[in-house]
Amino acid sequence: MRAIRKLTLASSAAAVAAALLSSTAGGQQLALPPTEAANFLGVPGYVDMPSARSQPEGELSFSVHGFDNGTVRTSIAVQLSRRLQALFRYASIPDIEARGPGNPLVRTYDRSFDVRFQILSESARRPELLLGLQDIGGTGLYGGEYLVASKAFGNVEATAGIGWGRYGTDGSFSNPLSVFSDRFDTRPVPNDNQTGTGGKFGTDQLFRGPAALFGGVAWQQSERLRLAAEYSSDAYVNETRVGIVERDIPLNFGADYRVSPNFRVTAALRHGTELGVGFLYTLNPRRAPGGAGGEGAPEPVLVRPPRASDPSLYGTEWTARPDSEPVIAESLGRTFAVAGLELQSYRLSGRRAQVRFINPIYESQAQAVGRAARAMTRSLPASVEQFEIVPLNRFGVPGAAVVLRRSDVEALENRPDGAAEVLAVAGIVDAERLPEDGLRAVPDLYPRFTYALGPYGAASTFDPEAPVRLDLGVQLQARYEPRPGVVVSGAVRRVVVGNRDENTKVSDSKLPKVRTDSNFFAAERGPYISYLTGEYFFRPAPEFYGRVSAGLLEAQYGGLSAELLWKPATGPLAIGAEVNEVRQRDFDQDFGFQDLEATTGGVTGYLEHGGGFHSELYLGQYLAGDRGATYRLARRFPSGWEVSAYATKTDVSAEDFGEGSFDKGIEVKIPLTFFTGQPSRETESIAIQPLLRDGGARLRIRNRLYDTVSDQTAPQLTEDWGRFWR
């Protein structure tokens, strides 16, 4: 048995913190393109008004803006593509209904989504033109639409636009769209309180009602400082009505200071009466704070002597000697270890060699394949011309094999476009279709046991009484693998400090409380079992993958889960089927269970669109017994980032679902190597779920098949092939 000990504690957290601090501490990175300044609603603009500018592609922006009247707005925005930006906003404001003479100050917490689409990019003669939809999936409190143009004239930028909704309340005029239909004359309100319950996309309001013009100008006084003035068409009707906002003039003034390419500070004077301050922090896949290349340079390809110089080197006589294979295998294991790879098995013949290995550190499987090819040139006899390179997932299960001619590897290593040329001559086939007779496992790899002790954090967000609750604690994880594909793993946690146990609110859900009792699970201070499962991963046939999991599957449910995935070695489409029979665990998260049982399952289609975009469509039954569909659209960047948004609609009515109307959210996956610069396959996820309800709730299965095998097959395997020689 191999026992591997790993003590993480706070080392990884310290590395991330150091990288973040270095990215904001000084001006050493100022030569890189800076991010656009954000207005007080979190989108590119001046103070209240938007501009037509977009953030750099892939940019993830975190902003906090507040005014001295007590309003605080927190936003997370992502530039999904060069033209498309999506934003989630969470605002804390003095309650616009309960605030009044003699009433105590209470707060309203409002959630909203924005989408911005760039119609035209700026040229020498034309401005940048952008269409924005604000608060289209929230309560409508910030609801508004706009068409805005921006043009730079040296270090001065001018912006002008037309707006509806909030942007059509000051200096308004008849809607010019009324020439097409008189329905554009009036704008319906969500309900009598001027705000809705959220969750429904207010398409019936879009571009309706009075319109107004807005505009502004910004002066880039220096590389770091920008000054701006704007005419605002937002009259803050609801806020001025109850005295939250005083508005003397429709003018706003702002100053934005760029501390570093990742961090900006903004100050503003709004309406001539209010002061505001804001902070913007950005991350971008193309601007890693930890740098890159920490994995070190690879060993170079070892080129064979020309056949004419010594034909005997290319003979296969070595296959007849019984002592040859052990020596070659030992050399392979050594060179793979130097390359940062773990050789699992091999198959040798006179003209071809097959290697199967686990990539424990490189985020890119293409990079791991390239390092494996180099290692093979340094260990195999000259007669071996065909390389069959099979990366295994972390459970030891093969996906696709990359088949290369050794002579191509030797010839293309130092070519200017060598990676693309290697891909052009490579074969991508299902590893299950390769001959396995004579495949030998590296001895003494199994069984093996690993464990890790380190910190963890768990957050609960958007509770109206406390928008963010956080626990910090210690986690012990262990994993036992008796053979490839069979894993027994678990984790025990204990909270050290936190306040997630303070939420004692009882759910008012009309559905079985499959998720809305999460606060009672979070109240457990520990030690408690986060998960404890036995899993079996296997290949039932070429193009198919299987998984069976049993035990305490997640923090709230235990039971049995089975999954089958069809995923060809090449091609953009995959289809998976899953069934789960589970029971809700006791709140103390030991080995006990409650009475709530659920059968869930369905079919999921996966489609790779190209350019890093992929989508998933799940059709099936959810934990509460409701049936429907979940659609997820994700953008994956070459650095390992992934940003996705999802929405679920089931046969549960909006009224029975409750606040939010249907389940939706955003998730961001960021690789640890992005912060540290060191090679790692570990990722951290940021999940933004505005409301936790029971409708549309899925089981949180660890290690679903598509996530574990997708980068072993094309197109994910080949989309970042540029790292092959890295």
Side-chain angles (χ1 to χ4, degrees):
M1 176 185 294
R2 294 182 60 188
I4 303 173
R5 182 181 179 188
K6 189 192 305 178
L7 185 62
T8 60
L9 291 178
S11 58
S12 60
V16 171
L20 288 173
L21 289 173
S22 67
S23 72
T24 60
Q28 60 195 25
Q29 298 186 38
L30 286 179
L32 294 173
T35 184
E36 289 289 331
N39 69 7
F40 277 65
L41 287 161
V43 301
Y46 302 148
V47 180
D48 272 346
M49 298 296 103
S51 73
R53 301 305 185 192
S54 298
Q55 301 290 16
E57 186 174 358
E59 194 100 312
L60 182 66
S61 306
F62 303 86
S63 64
V64 179
H65 294 88
F67 289 98
D68 57 5
N69 67 4
T71 297
V72 179
R73 302 167 184 159
T74 302
S75 301
I76 299 177
V78 58
Q79 192 72 37
L80 291 169
S81 68
R82 185 173 63 87
R83 296 186 182 275
L84 181 64
Q85 183 185 47
L87 175 141
F88 171 73
R89 181 184 304 105
Y90 189 71
S92 171
I93 59 179
D95 194 291
I96 65 174
E97 297 302 325
R99 175 78 180 269
N103 290 343
L105 177 62
V106 295
R107 305 196 71 79
T108 290
Y109 297 96
D110 183 79
R111 311 165 185 88
S112 56
F113 287 92
D114 295 6
V115 176
R116 289 163 48 93
F117 182 77
Q118 183 192 88
I119 300 172
L120 294 174
S121 56
E122 185 177 14
S123 68
R125 295 186 177 183
R126 71 167 182 245
E128 199 156 330
L129 184 65
L130 181 138
L131 179 69
L133 307 178
Q134 185 169 289
D135 195 0
I136 60 171
T139 63
L141 178 64
Y142 287 104
E145 304 82 52
Y146 52 87
L147 183 66
V148 60
S150 297
K151 185 75 173 72
F153 303 94
N155 61 350
V156 175
E157 177 185 275
T159 290
I162 181 173
W164 295 262
R166 286 195 71 119
Y167 295 111
T169 54
D170 187 280
S172 58
F173 48 83
S174 297
N175 193 337
L177 297 177
S178 297
V179 299
F180 301 105
S181 172
D182 56 8
R183 69 184 297 270
F184 289 105
D185 288 335
T186 57
R187 186 180 183 91
V189 295
N191 60 31
D192 292 339
N193 293 322
Q194 284 76 48
T195 58
T197 57
K200 298 180 180 179
F201 291 103
T203 55
D204 60 336
Q205 294 182 296
L206 295 181
F207 305 102
R208 295 179 62 178
L213 299 176
F214 62 86
V217 62
W219 173 41
Q220 194 68 43
Q221 189 272 337
S222 68
E223 187 183 32
R224 295 176 181 267
L225 179 63
R226 189 192 75 168
L227 304 176
E230 67 180 21
Y231 167 75
S232 171
S233 61
D234 184 353
Y236 280 78
V237 175
N238 290 329
E239 292 86 346
T240 56
R241 174 173 55 85
V242 293
I244 295 172
V245 170
E246 295 181 9
R247 193 169 185 269
D248 290 348
I249 57 175
L251 299 178
N252 302 325
F253 303 92
D256 177 87
Y257 186 77
R258 179 161 62 99
V259 180
S260 79
N262 301 88
F263 185 62
R264 308 183 79 119
V265 179
T266 302
L269 173 65
R270 187 174 66 169
H271 314 317
T273 60
E274 295 177 346
L275 295 175
V277 64
F279 305 92
L280 174 70
Y281 184 81
T282 61
L283 294 172
N284 194 292
R286 297 171 179 83
R287 188 168 54 220
E295 68 269 22
E299 293 286 317
V301 170
L302 184 61
V303 180
R304 296 168 294 181
R307 183 185 295 267
S309 66
D310 190 353
S312 64
L313 287 175
Y314 290 80
T316 60
E317 295 81 4
W318 61 271
T319 61
R321 297 196 299 267
D323 61 334
S324 297
E325 185 172 299
V327 173
I328 296 170
E330 181 182 0
S331 177
L332 271 175
R334 187 168 55 252
T335 56
F336 268 65
V338 170
L341 307 172
E342 185 180 275
L343 183 67
Q344 292 276 304
S345 58
Y346 59 90
R347 179 181 181 274
L348 301 176
S349 67
R351 302 299 182 191
R352 58 197 291 185
Q354 181 183 145
V355 294
R356 300 189 175 204
F357 63 93
I358 290 177
N359 163 27
I361 61 174
Y362 302 113
E363 190 278 326
S364 167
Q365 288 285 22
Q367 183 177 4
V369 170
R371 299 223 168 187
R374 285 184 171 98
M376 294 175 77
T377 67
R378 305 185 70 81
S379 300
L380 295 175
S383 67
V384 177
E385 171 63 14
Q386 180 168 300
F387 291 173
E388 299 168 353
I389 304 172
V390 184
L392 309 176
N393 63 22
R394 62 183 181 275
F395 306 109
V397 177
V402 178
V403 182
L404 294 169
R405 289 189 295 266
R406 184 174 184 170
S407 53
D408 290 331
V409 174
E410 294 171 334
L412 300 175
E413 180 186 21
N414 297 311
R415 295 280 287 272
D417 200 18
E421 293 184 71
V422 167
L423 181 58
V425 298
I428 309 293
V429 299
D430 194 318
E432 289 293 291
R433 301 189 184 280
L434 295 177
E436 295 188 11
D437 55 297
L439 189 65
R440 299 181 183 275
V442 174
D444 301 325
L445 288 181
Y446 295 90
R448 58 182 175 182
F449 175 76
T450 62
Y451 69 92
L453 177 66
Y456 84 93
S460 299
T461 56
F462 311 127
D463 171 11
E465 297 179 359
V468 178
R469 297 183 188 272
L470 179 66
D471 284 343
L472 299 175
V474 177
Q475 174 177 263
L476 175 64
Q477 293 177 292
R479 173 169 163 161
Y480 175 68
E481 298 171 85
R483 49 162 290 183
V486 179
V487 181
V488 179
S489 61
V492 176
R493 289 179 169 183
R494 183 175 182 87
V495 177
V496 176
V497 61
N499 64 347
R500 294 176 75 218
D501 60 332
E502 295 176 2
N503 182 4
T504 58
K505 184 178 179 180
V506 178
S507 169
D508 60 354
S509 177
K510 299 178 181 179
L511 301 173
K513 297 177 182 178
V514 295
R515 287 300 181 199
T516 53
D517 276 346
S518 293
N519 56 316
F520 295 108
F521 287 95
E524 180 58 39
R525 301 289 87 185
Y528 64 89
I529 303 170
S530 178
Y531 66 90
L532 179 61
T533 58
E535 298 170 286
Y536 175 45
F537 300 87
F538 58 99
R539 296 290 309 271
E543 300 186 349
F544 284 89
Y545 301 80
R547 172 188 61 81
V548 177
S549 305
L552 306 179
L553 300 173
E554 52 143 292
Q556 299 182 31
Y557 289 92
L560 181 66
S561 173
E563 183 183 6
L564 183 67
L565 176 72
W566 171 74
K567 177 71 173 73
T570 59
L573 181 65
I575 300 174
E578 176 186 307
V579 62
N580 311 292
E581 187 70 35
V582 297
R583 193 168 182 177
Q584 193 173 58
R585 298 174 61 186
D586 284 339
F587 293 139
D588 59 10
Q589 296 165 83
D590 56 13
F591 294 99
F593 290 89
Q594 302 183 57
D595 293 334
L596 194 157
E597 296 181 347
T599 300
T600 80
V603 177
T604 304
Y606 306 88
L607 181 63
E608 297 285 343
H609 302 284
F613 284 93
H614 67 281
S615 58
E616 304 173 11
L617 178 63
Y618 168 82
L619 303 172
Q621 181 165 298
Y622 297 81
L623 283 169
D626 50 332
R627 297 179 178 180
T630 299
Y631 177 72
R632 179 185 297 270
L633 177 65
R635 173 75 190 277
R636 185 175 50 251
F637 296 92
S639 62
W641 278 47
E642 183 173 290
V643 181
S644 63
Y646 74 90
T648 297
K649 187 61 179 176
T650 72
D651 54 7
V652 172
S653 67
E655 291 72 22
D656 287 343
F657 183 92
E659 185 181 359
S661 301
F662 63 93
D663 188 40
K664 52 196 168 293
I666 297 172
E667 185 175 12
V668 180
K669 295 180 181 179
I670 303 178
L672 184 63
T673 186
F674 177 80
F675 295 106
T676 65
Q678 300 302 310
S680 172
R681 291 181 64 81
E682 297 296 320
T683 62
E684 292 295 334
S685 296
I686 303 171
I688 305 166
Q689 189 175 12
L691 288 166
L692 186 64
R693 305 297 294 177
D694 295 314
R698 291 189 68 182
L699 193 66
R700 295 167 184 157
I701 286 289
R702 302 170 59 253
N703 306 320
R704 279 194 167 97
L705 286 175
Y706 190 80
D707 292 335
T708 65
V709 308
S710 56
D711 71 343
Q712 295 176 267
T713 54
Q716 282 196 32
L717 176 63
T718 57
E719 68 181 7
D720 60 345
W721 197 262
R723 295 190 181 191
F724 181 89
W725 291 120
R726 180 169 167 178

